[in-house]
Amino acid sequence: MSKSSSPSVELPVELPVLRDESAVACCPPITAGELSVADSEAMAAMFKALGDPVRLRLFSKIASHPGGEACVCDIQDVGVSQPTVSHHLKKLREAGLLTSERRGTWVYYAVAPSVVAGMSAMLDLRL
């Protein structure tokens, strides 16, 4: 006896939204009001991380890399040793500016867009 089968209809599945706890929510412009202590500390850490010329250069190399991500093997030529590059990339990750993903023996880095958008919005002088 054969079973009659009706075509199954797949209902949309709601997936959980993963939130990066280090990501900064988009902030109102600096002219909109005084920053809270917590917001000022978070933003200062990000700007401090970018205040180092090597880190800023690494950040720029990753942001401008084709596809929006870069293998550490492609961005090491910034005039410092490999351990120093790793240190600077760690500082950028800790500040929430970069995300990283290990693929085999290499680590790929990408700019955290929500964080950069938050920094940009905070510096917008238009109300």
Side-chain angles (χ1 to χ4, degrees):
M1 219 195 268
S2 71
K3 274 186 162 178
S4 67
S5 63
S6 60
S8 64
V9 176
E10 288 192 34
L11 298 174
V13 176
E14 190 170 324
L15 298 174
V17 176
L18 299 177
R19 301 201 189 278
D20 179 359
E21 295 303 320
S22 64
V24 174
C26 193
C27 301
I30 194 99
T31 56
E34 184 178 333
L35 286 174
S36 69
V37 172
D39 286 344
S40 64
E41 288 172 352
M43 292 304 242
M46 287 184 262
F47 285 113
K48 182 178 179 181
L50 290 175
D52 181 280
V54 173
R55 288 185 201 142
L56 185 57
R57 194 151 170 235
L58 285 167
F59 188 75
S60 171
K61 282 176 152 279
I62 294 165
S64 64
H65 203 271
E69 67 177 6
C71 173
V72 69
C73 60
D74 294 330
I75 58 171
Q76 293 185 36
D77 59 338
V78 290
V80 296
S81 67
Q82 187 280 323
T84 303
V85 168
S86 293
H87 167 77
H88 287 301
L89 289 169
K90 178 182 175 189
K91 291 295 184 182
L92 290 167
R93 271 192 345 266
E94 288 173 347
L97 296 167
L98 295 179
T99 61
S100 63
E101 178 184 341
R102 179 170 292 282
R103 297 182 197 155
T105 59
W106 296 109
V107 177
Y108 287 77
Y109 292 90
V111 171
S114 63
V115 174
V116 175
M119 293 172 73
S120 175
M122 188 193 85
L123 293 176
D124 190 354
L125 296 178
R126 296 170 288 161
L127 260 178

